[in-house]
Amino acid sequence: METPKEDMGKKKTKEPDPNPKSALSVNPGVADAPAISPYIRDQRKTLSRKETTVEELADGVLSGNRTHLAKAITLVESNLEVHNDKAQAILELVMPKVGNSIRIGITGVPGVGKSTFIESFGSYLLEQNHKLAVLAIDPSSQRTKGSILGDKTRMEVLSKSANAFIRPSPSSGSLGGVARKTRESMYLCEAAGFDTIIIETVGVGQSETQVHSMVDFFLLLMLAGAGDELQGIKRGIMEMADLIAINKADGPNEPYAMRARVEYESALHLFPAPESKWTPRATTCSSIGGKGIDEIWKLILDYISTTKTNGYYAKNRADQTRMWFEETLKEVVLEQFFARPGKKESIKASEKKLMSGKSTLLKEIKHLMD
C-alpha cells in the first residue's frame, strides 16, 4: 500500500491505548512543562530590577534583617571601589549601634574540632536567649580565592536558628587566618543586634595575633596528647590565651584530657602576668556531650566582669581601634603606591639594577618613593 503524500515527512505519534493491557504502556505526558514556577520567575525579575539603596541596607541591618546584613557584609568584603564606598556609607550609618556585644576569638590546632565546639557552645548560648553571630574564617583556595572548608555546612543546628547568623568568609591569604574585612563584618553584626560575636580562625599558628587584636576574650582549643611536635605552635598562642579548653574530653580520652588540663594550667603560671589582671585558666570540655560548655561561658562572663571593673576592657578596645587604624592606613598607602602609573615598571628596573650589582637597596627604594 502506498503512503499518502501528505503523510510523508510527518512524525507519527502513537495514541495511548485507552485499555492498556501491559504495565509498560505509556500515558500521555504534559506538554511544555515550565522549568520554573511563573511566580518565582516574576519575583526574581522584580528583585533584579530593584537595587537596594545604602539607606535601605543600613535600616535593614539595624532592624535585624538577615538578608540585608548578608548583602552589607558582601559589600564590605568586595574589592571593588564602588562596593567599598557603599560599605563605608552603611558602616557610618550603623556605627552608633556598634560595640554592645561580647567578642570571642576561638582558635586551635587543626583537627581540634573548632566548628563542632562552636555548634555546641552556640546552641548553649541560644538556650540562654542570646543572639549569636559566627564569623568563620576559612582557608582560601589558591585558585578561586574562595572558602575551602565551608564551616556553615558543619553547623547545622546554628544555621537553622533565627537567633544565629553564620558567615563563612575566605581568609584571602591573610597570614593570621583572618579575612581582611572581618572587623567591619563584626561591626555590622553588632549593629544587627547580635550580643555575642564569635570569630573562628583557620588555626595556622603564631600569627593568630590578628584575631587576638579584635576580640575581648581569646579561647584556645587544644587536644590531649597532641605531641611535642606542636610545642612551637602552642607556645605562641598560649601566651595570648585567656582560657585553654582541652576538647574531646570524653570516653577513654577523658583521663588524658584531665591530665593535660593540669599540665597546661601549670604552664600558664610561667608566663608574665597579663595586663588585664586576669589569671588565664585551663579546663576540659566535650563538644559532643556538651560537658564543660556552661563552665566555659561562666569563665568568659567572669573575665568580662573583671576587666570592666579594672578598666582594661575599655582600654583594650581603644587600643585595638588605634591598631586597626594604623594597620589599615599602612595597607591603603601601600596599595596606592603600587597603583601609581608606571610604578610596576620602575620596580622591575630597580630589581634588575640590584640583581646586577649596579645599585644599592636603599638607593633604589628612595628612588621609587620619589
Side-chain angles (χ1 to χ4, degrees):
M1 180 182 295
E2 295 183 0
T3 303
K5 293 183 179 180
E6 60 270 17
D7 292 339
M8 293 183 66
K10 292 185 178 180
K11 184 177 180 181
K12 293 185 178 181
T13 303
K14 184 179 180 180
E15 296 294 333
D17 188 351
N19 300 306
K21 297 180 180 179
S22 170
L24 299 179
S25 299
V26 179
N27 292 325
V30 179
D32 299 324
I36 187 172
S37 166
Y39 171 75
I40 296 177
R41 183 177 60 244
D42 294 341
Q43 188 181 47
R44 284 184 177 180
K45 289 181 180 179
T46 302
L47 291 174
S48 62
R49 286 196 299 266
K50 182 181 178 182
E51 183 177 355
T52 310
T53 65
V54 167
E55 290 75 15
E56 288 173 337
L57 281 175
D59 290 341
V61 170
L62 293 173
S63 64
N65 186 304
R66 295 156 66 95
T67 301
H68 285 182
L69 174 59
K71 288 182 177 180
I73 292 178
T74 299
L75 290 175
V76 162
E77 293 178 342
S78 174
N79 290 323
L80 296 178
E81 186 175 354
V82 61
H83 290 170
N84 186 260
D85 292 340
K86 289 183 178 180
Q88 298 310 309
I90 294 171
L91 284 166
E92 188 174 356
L93 292 172
V94 305
M95 282 304 288
K97 298 295 183 180
V98 165
N100 300 316
S101 74
I102 297 176
R103 304 167 183 173
I104 304 170
I106 297 180
T107 190
V109 295
V112 75
K114 292 186 291 292
S115 297
T116 307
F117 171 82
I118 293 174
E119 172 89 331
S120 179
F121 182 61
S123 299
Y124 172 81
L125 293 179
L126 295 180
E127 292 174 359
Q128 307 300 313
N129 297 320
H130 288 282
K131 293 190 67 177
L132 173 69
V134 179
L135 302 177
I137 313 301
D138 281 352
S140 292
S141 167
Q142 293 299 315
R143 291 187 176 182
T144 66
K145 305 302 180 184
S147 298
I148 294 177
L149 299 180
D151 280 322
K152 190 170 183 177
T153 61
R154 295 181 287 161
M155 301 179 191
E156 186 177 357
V157 175
L158 295 183
S159 62
K160 294 179 181 179
S161 173
N163 290 323
F165 177 81
I166 303 175
R167 178 73 179 203
S169 302
S171 62
S172 302
S174 175
L175 182 61
V178 181
R180 177 184 174 187
K181 302 299 177 66
T182 299
R183 188 181 294 271
E184 283 102 334
S185 299
M186 178 178 66
Y187 287 166
L188 290 171
C189 290
E190 289 181 341
F194 293 96
D195 56 59
T196 308
I197 312 292
I198 290 178
I199 301 178
E200 178 201 0
T201 71
V202 179
V204 295
Q206 295 183 6
S207 54
E208 296 298 294
T209 50
Q210 290 193 18
V211 68
H212 183 265
S213 68
M214 67 175 68
V215 297
D216 304 314
F217 189 90
F218 192 70
L219 172 61
L220 171 62
L221 295 177
M222 297 299 295
L223 291 172
D228 292 338
E229 69 277 1
L230 295 175
Q231 288 298 327
I233 295 178
K234 290 188 289 187
R235 169 80 188 196
I237 307 179
M238 280 176 61
E239 293 177 335
M240 299 181 294
D242 299 304
L243 175 65
I244 295 177
I246 295 87
N247 196 21
K248 302 183 181 180
D250 46 41
N253 197 47
E254 187 171 1
Y256 298 103
M258 296 299 294
R259 190 181 310 155
R261 182 193 68 79
V262 175
E263 293 175 354
Y264 282 126
E265 200 153 58
S266 299
L268 287 171
H269 289 290
L270 301 177
F271 298 135
E275 187 181 356
S276 63
K277 308 301 181 185
W278 166 265
T279 303
R281 319 286 174 82
T283 187
T284 60
C285 64
S286 171
S287 301
I288 297 178
K291 182 180 178 181
I293 298 297
D294 56 343
E295 177 65 18
I296 290 175
W297 180 239
K298 180 179 180 299
L299 288 170
I300 292 175
L301 294 180
D302 287 347
Y303 173 88
I304 298 298
S305 176
T306 299
T307 53
K308 282 187 174 181
T309 300
N310 63 28
Y312 175 77
Y313 182 88
K315 179 183 180 300
N316 183 49
R317 285 204 170 184
D319 290 342
Q320 290 178 350
T321 301
R322 188 180 302 109
M323 183 185 302
W324 176 47
F325 170 73
E326 293 174 354
E327 289 180 352
T328 305
L329 178 60
K330 293 176 183 177
E331 185 177 295
V332 172
V333 169
L334 192 62
E335 287 179 353
Q336 291 182 351
F337 171 79
F338 284 103
R340 292 178 184 175
K343 189 57 66 177
K344 291 183 179 179
E345 291 75 10
S346 298
I347 292 174
K348 289 182 179 179
S350 293
E351 287 178 348
K352 289 182 179 179
K353 289 181 181 180
L354 288 173
M355 297 298 291
S356 62
K358 295 180 179 179
S359 184
T360 63
L361 179 63
L362 188 57
K363 179 181 178 180
E364 290 306 313
I365 291 178
K366 288 182 177 180
H367 171 70
L368 291 172
M369 296 301 296
D370 293 338

